[in-house]
């Protein structure tokens, strides 16, 4: 199969079965939410330690005696105020605090690596299932459970190879410089060229190794051998894929840079995760699967893109309203967590209101309405999607995301200089945005319940797949709600109250 036919098969599969693939890629956006549980736990431990030992009270007392920040923009005055502020934080810096924080960071890194391995295994397993005209989500769930360790082994192997190539090149250059500076320079140039080629070969080999694992149902060694056989037998296809992948990533980066001033960065980042990533995975799986003769690409859908898009939006709204009606308990829990931790944020930040005040008027000064609207929409939809799909981690990450946002909003309100202005700013878009975020948390709780039941053998993989597909459509509905919120927040919320407050 040539590259053009592979691209056609990729497009047809992605268009025909989006809800059977994209939930696993939306799950990829939730990896940071799952991973940061380690950091959140460390921060909670640090807070408890400082509170119990009285160090937090000592810091509060010290801050109470510090003058508010100077209104002048004189750098010397600001520096003098900062120097006077520093001693107040000295009781908070202890070896115990450092150890707890370091442990939290370590747990975060481990969770990120493990989560990425599980999600990646699920993504490619869903892709190969869809290409074989099977249900992608069921195949993805099975693959995530059975292949995550193999994927982890592939990542470790590639990392070791990269480290080995770089180490060998560095050693060769170092020895040559010790012998003769001119020889060292020549060796450095040669090592740079050879190292570049070697690392490119490693990357292309390990680009196809995960595909070989899912297509051939192989282990780490079998996956690398299968990828090597494909690259040797089809060097043109392998090189073409590498060029397409690199060109796509460069193009996405260029688009992101180009629209950054329009506030489109978050939208481009989300599109990269749920369009570009599955498209590239489909492309390389089609190429390798055709080489093995084990895939049967689906035919393109009869409906046009516009019809699919409008139908998808209508279904998303229907699924959203149906989910809200069907899960009142999940929503009550999500709301209680958000409100409860909002109160925690308020009471925790209130003692510092005079020392570190904030101003909503200052934060929104000079913003451009269309840029702000697009930025708010992209950020909020990304947060909602990540919060919802992080719930597969037994609901805890989703609840922690709600708690984090509650604390942030409560602390911001407590530190606000003009609380009436902040309330006036939040209300118009908040009536759309806050319920949407609560729904995303409730959706995360729902996924957590289903994933736990599946893990315990009380629910089938098909039931879990149904829940993931429902979550996909619900987040589409949340996108509509947050789109309205973004427009209101960009064009209405910052301005309507100014004549009155």
């Amino acid at each position: 199969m040539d590259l053009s036919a592979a691209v056609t098969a990729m497009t047809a599969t992605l268009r025909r079965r989006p809800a059977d693939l994209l939930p696993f890629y939306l799950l990829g956006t939730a990896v940071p939410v799952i991973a940061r549980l380690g950091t959140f736990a460390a921060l909670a431990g640090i807070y408890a330690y400082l509170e119990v030992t009285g160090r937090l009270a000592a810091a509060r007392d010290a801050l109470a005696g510090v003058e508010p920040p100077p209104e002048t923009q004189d750098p010397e005055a600001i520096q003098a105020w900062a120097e006077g502020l520093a001693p107040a934080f000295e009781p908070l810096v202890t070896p115990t605090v450092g150890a707890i924080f370091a442990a939290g960071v370590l747990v975060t890194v481990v969770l990120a690596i493990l989560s990425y391995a599980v999600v990646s295994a699920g993504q490619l397993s869903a892709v190969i299932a869809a290409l074989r005209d099977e249900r992608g989500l069921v195949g993805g769930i099975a693959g995530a459970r059975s292949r995550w360790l193999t994927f982890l082994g592939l990542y470790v192997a590639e990392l070791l190879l990269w480290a080995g190539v770089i180490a060998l090149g560095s050693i060769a250059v170092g020895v040559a410089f010790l012998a003769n500076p001119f020889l060292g320079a020549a060796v450095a140039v040669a090592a740079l060229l050879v190292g570049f080629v070697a690392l490119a070969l490693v990357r292309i080999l390990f680009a196809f190794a995960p595909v070989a694992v899912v297509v051939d149902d192989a282990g780490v060694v079998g996956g690398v051998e299968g990828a090597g056989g494909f690259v040797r037998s089809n060097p043109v296809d392998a090189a073409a894929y590498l060029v397409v992948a690199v060109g796509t990533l460069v193009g996405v980066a260029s688009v992101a840079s180009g629209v950054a001033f329009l506030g489109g960065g978050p939208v481009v980042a989300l599109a990269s995760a749920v369009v570009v990533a599955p498209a590239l995975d489909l492309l390389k799986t089609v190429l390798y699967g055709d080489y093995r003769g084990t895939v049967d690409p689906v035919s393109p859908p009869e409906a046009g893109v516009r019809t699919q898009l409008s139908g998808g939006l209508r279904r998303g709204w229907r699924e959203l309203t149906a989910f809200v009606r069907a899960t009142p308990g999940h929503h009550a829990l999500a709301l209680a967590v958000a409100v409860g931790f909002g109160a925690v944020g308020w009471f925790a930040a209130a003692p510092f209101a005079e020392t570190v005040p904030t101003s909503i008027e200052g934060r929104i000064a000079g913003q451009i309405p269309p840029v702000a609207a697009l930025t708010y929409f992209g950020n909020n939809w990304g947060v909602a999607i990540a919060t919802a799909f992080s719930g597969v981690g037994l609901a805890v990450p989703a609840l922690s995301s709600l708690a984090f946002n509650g604390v942030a909003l409560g602390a911001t309100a407590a530190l606000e200089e003009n609380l009436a202005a902040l309330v006036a700013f939040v209300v118009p878009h908040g009536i759309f945005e806050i319920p949407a975020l609560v729904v995303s948390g409730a959706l995360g709780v729902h996924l957590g319940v289903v994933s736990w039941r599946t893990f315990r053998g009380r629910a089938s993989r098909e039931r879990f797949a149904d829940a993931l597909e429902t979550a996909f459509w619900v987040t589409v509905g949340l996108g509509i709600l947050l789109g309205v919120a973004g427009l209101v927040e960009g064009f209405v919320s910052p301005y309507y109250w100014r004549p009155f407050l």
Side-chain angles (χ1 to χ4, degrees), residues 83-118:
E83 290 175 352
L85 187 66
F89 291 98
E90 289 181 359
L92 307 181
V93 182
T94 70
T96 301
V97 169
I100 296 174
F101 185 75
V105 171
L106 178 61
V107 172
T108 294
V109 172
V110 171
L111 284 176
I113 294 172
L114 295 179
S115 300
Y116 182 69
V118 172

Side-chain angles (χ1 to χ4, degrees), residues 170-234:
S170 301
I171 291 171
V173 172
V175 171
F177 265 109
L178 289 176
N180 185 293
F182 294 103
L183 177 62
V187 171
V189 173
L192 184 64
L193 295 175
V194 173
F196 176 80
V197 173
L199 292 177
L201 290 174
V202 169
R203 180 77 286 274
I204 196 169
L205 180 67
F206 280 88
F208 285 96
V211 178
V213 167
V214 299
V215 172
D216 301 336
D217 198 18
V220 174
V221 175
V224 173
E225 290 177 347
F230 170 77
V231 173
R232 287 193 303 271
S233 302
N234 302 272

Side-chain angles (χ1 to χ4, degrees), residues 40-78:
F40 284 175
L43 293 176
I46 289 171
Y47 181 86
Y49 163 75
L50 294 174
E51 187 68 56
V52 169
T53 58
R55 292 178 175 273
L56 197 58
R60 291 194 193 102
D61 293 339
L63 284 172
V66 176
E67 294 293 329
E71 297 182 2
T72 178
Q73 297 299 317
D74 181 15
E76 294 184 358
I78 295 175

Side-chain angles (χ1 to χ4, degrees), residues 1 9 13 17 124-134 147 208 210-218 226 230 234 282-298:
M1 182 182 296
T13 305
R17 313 181 72 163
L124 279 177
S125 297
V127 165
I128 189 59
L131 288 172
R132 290 171 174 168
D133 204 24
E134 301 168 0
R147 297 182 176 125
F208 285 96
V211 178
V213 167
V214 299
V215 172
D216 301 336
D217 198 18
F230 170 77
N234 302 272
L282 275 165
L283 179 59
K284 63 183 178 182
T285 306
V286 168
L287 290 172
Y288 186 87
D290 181 69
Y291 159 69
R292 289 298 198 190
T294 56
V295 299
D296 184 22
V298 300

Side-chain angles (χ1 to χ4, degrees), residues 395-482:
V396 176
L399 294 175
S400 74
S401 182
L402 283 175
F404 173 79
N405 285 287
V407 168
L409 184 57
T412 300
L415 299 175
E416 175 59 44
E417 290 180 327
N418 187 348
L419 187 57
L422 178 63
V423 172
F425 170 76
V426 169
V427 167
H429 64 270
I431 59 176
F432 302 101
E433 181 181 315
I434 294 174
L437 295 178
V438 171
V439 172
S440 72
L443 184 55
V445 173
H446 175 67
L447 287 177
V449 171
V450 177
S451 66
W452 173 249
R453 290 177 57 84
T454 304
F455 178 76
R456 293 292 303 275
R458 297 176 181 175
S460 65
R461 290 172 180 171
E462 287 74 14
R463 174 71 183 89
F464 194 8
D466 291 341
L468 288 172
E469 185 170 351
T470 297
F472 169 77
W473 290 116
V474 171
T475 54
V476 171
L478 290 177
I480 298 173
L481 202 58
L482 290 169

